[in-house]
Amino acid sequence: MKKLSELEKDAEGVIASVNGDARFISRITSIGLTPGCHVTVIKNEKNRPLLVYSRDTMIALNKAECAQIEVEGGKKA
Amino acid sequence: MTDKNETVIALLGQPNSGKSTLFNALTGLRQHVGNWPGKTVEKKEGRFTHNGKEYLVADLPGTYSLSANSDEEMITRDYIASGKADVVCILADSSQLERSLYMLADYAGITVPCFLVLNMSDVAADQGKKVDASALEKKLGIPVVLLSAPNTKAYDGFYSALERAVKDKTSLNAEALEKRFEELDTYRNIKSMIPENVIPSYSATWLATKAVEKDAPVIAKIKAALPDGARSSFEAAVDAVDKGVVFTGERKFAWIDELLEGTVNTKKTKVSLGKFDRLITHHIWGKPVVVLTIVLGLIASFIPALPFMGIGQAIGKLPDPLNEALLNIGCPAFLAAIICDVILRCLSFIIQMLGFVFGVTLVFGLLEEIGVMARISYVFDNTMAKFGLQGKSVMPFLISFGCTMGGAAGTRVIDNWGQKVLTIALAWAVPCGAAWAVIPMLSTVFFGAWTPVIIVVILLVMILHMWLTAKVFGRSLVKVEDRQGMIMELPPYHKPKWGSLLRYVFGRTKDTFLRAMKVVVLVAFVFWLLSYTSTGTITDSILYKVGTFIEPVTKIFGLGWQTFMAFIASSLGKEGALGVLSTIFTGSGTISVGSMVSGTTAANINELLVANVSKPEALALIFAMTFNMPCIVALAATYQETHSVKWTARIALYYTGVALLLAGIAYYVGLLIW
């Protein structure tokens, strides 16, 4: 199990759990990142939001907050 | 229905679902923009007629769901519950249905009639996706229509879906989703306790889902509706749920996947960033590319601005000959002065500036529609978050180096009202093109080779000023609990549709013109009254009398009455300050709005300045002018964008105060040096 924020570029995985305050969970759910959902990391660079692709959508995520998302797998494709 | 017998449509959709494009296409120029009562959220309403029927469109705030985490979401929910809407039009992005149908899933259980618009059908088609709207219609029990909102020629499907939804009062069939919720014991338990009619048109299913999601307002409503004895067991049932949002979210997406099975054909393609995306998101090149993009956009803005500037300048040539002509035919001097000096000069000034607003709205509206603004937001998110702003705010700041009014117009792409107002408030601190034309020149006259140092200090003060202003206004405009890290989709690039974009740009420009004209003429008229003399010498004007009377106070800030006049004039237009000083020191003519905005100066202005103003006073004046209110047109544009008299006045007073304060500091520093 890895944190989403630790995944390298091109890594793929399946979300295992989402943690954090109610507001964050609600927001992250509404953009489609729920447990069981497949994600691909498009870009992960210092001082920039993380770029992931999931449910047909490119999503930019603040790094501090996506440390609260755990991912199963996470190997480079 | 409204009391005027209009059918009310509420537009509901996530940001980037093309909601505003649809709203603009439907209502055209028949729009009214204001704020929701007591809230810092923009309220947009518009009207249109179709088949002889009148419709009122309420553009609900763009939200990602119907939870209770922000003012936007609460307003949206309360509006739907209020029963004001006859029908709710739910939008989703056809190219990203898997994600964007979440709003529909969150709506399930609300009994207000609705229909579904699958927007951006052109993008989906380009991606090779085929969506079977009629199959979805059967599953959902509501009209479903594919639409490309910018293509206003193909709206027949939309109108017929709307009419069917209104006539048949179609409500969303949520049985399949309910079944999925029923898998959870706590959900069944909570649902069994919910009494009738807690919130009209919100079913027990919807209420139970929200209770599972720990939605505080819904829980409070249910508790209030329960008899005393039942409350504690309800509370216990709610407490027993852990991470309910995740649970219901999973079910909602599973329901969406089931809906899409057999209704959408997708060619699975491997995702990667395009060439431009790779460049703009690059960790080193990203920021320079964004700055370059904005600067090029700024330059491009001048092209559509040129005709306006030409017209404005032509009007600016009229006052002198017209004044003479009016006097010749026996028109009273003061009336001629009002027509020529106040109205015509203001018109000339505004039209020139308006060209810039037109250009900026067009170019940056285009960048927004294509999808470039979202990338800019991504690149500058970390930097702008320090001010409590989104990454897009970098664009108005950069535009403000050219023109603050353009910067204010540029904030239209910021979808959060509080962040928009805060961005404008900070953009005022950025010295505009007019300041850059005046300040280095003034500074060279007094300080010669030290000018670059002064400019560097000005830039440093600017950053400090912005930081301070963000602290002062930030807390009330962007609440701390609303400040969260970026969670945003980067939409796919869209081809722009010129027709709807131009219609929107012309509409906004017309609005800005009308509002700016009102504010500018009013302020200019007051100023003209204060400076008007029948004798033609400035010492007879009210302005002079007030100026000399309060001189002991302005002296504290290092401003004598002459430079204080220049300071006041610079709040109408920076170029005017020199004209005013010129008038005062040569003792010829009156200060007028004309001299204020055209900035005509005497040939020997440099010698006059050095002879009459000491170095510390000059330094004080430079800072007072640079950080003063940018100009009256910027003030009017601020009012136009924020539609809040309160905030416009607050920002203007704050800037006047801070400018005087900075002048005072500069003055005393100057006294120490010289």
Side-chain angles (χ1 to χ4, degrees), chain B residues 168-250:
Chain B
D168 302 339
K169 298 202 182 335
T170 48
S171 75
L172 179 63
N173 175 3
E175 268 170 47
L177 182 57
E178 266 175 66
K179 257 190 216 127
R180 290 180 182 272
F181 290 148
E182 299 276 345
E183 291 165 15
L184 183 71
D185 297 339
T186 39
Y187 169 85
R188 287 202 307 275
N189 190 14
I190 287 174
K191 196 184 165 194
S192 67
M193 293 183 207
I194 292 173
E196 294 279 309
N197 258 334
V198 176
I199 308 174
S201 62
Y202 285 64
S203 72
T205 304
W206 192 86
L207 294 168
T209 315
K210 288 296 155 200
V212 166
E213 292 170 6
K214 297 259 165 89
D215 185 308
V218 166
I219 291 171
K221 280 257 165 71
I222 296 174
K223 272 204 265 183
L226 283 171
D228 288 341
R231 253 172 237 156
S232 54
S233 52
F234 174 71
E235 270 170 41
V238 170
D239 284 342
V241 190
D242 182 37
K243 280 204 258 174
V245 184
V246 176
F247 172 83
T248 54
E250 280 183 86

Side-chain angles (χ1 to χ4, degrees), chain B residues 84-105:
Chain B
K84 281 182 197 138
D86 296 295
V87 62
V88 176
C89 168
I90 304 170
L91 282 106
D93 178 345
S94 314
S95 68
Q96 309 178 337
L97 286 177
E98 282 183 39
R99 180 189 58 80
S100 69
L101 282 176
Y102 186 79
M103 186 58 98
L104 180 81

Side-chain angles (χ1 to χ4, degrees), chain B residues 77 110 125 208 388 436:
Chain B
R77 260 160 58 157
I110 297 177
W436 291 121

Side-chain angles (χ1 to χ4, degrees), chain A residues 58, chain B residues 16 93 96 368 370-371 374-375 488-494:
Chain A
M58 186 80 73
Chain B
N16 291 316
D93 178 345
Q96 309 178 337
E368 168 78 359
I370 296 174
R375 273 76 182 169
M488 185 191 77
E489 59 143 333
L490 291 190
Y493 288 108
H494 296 273

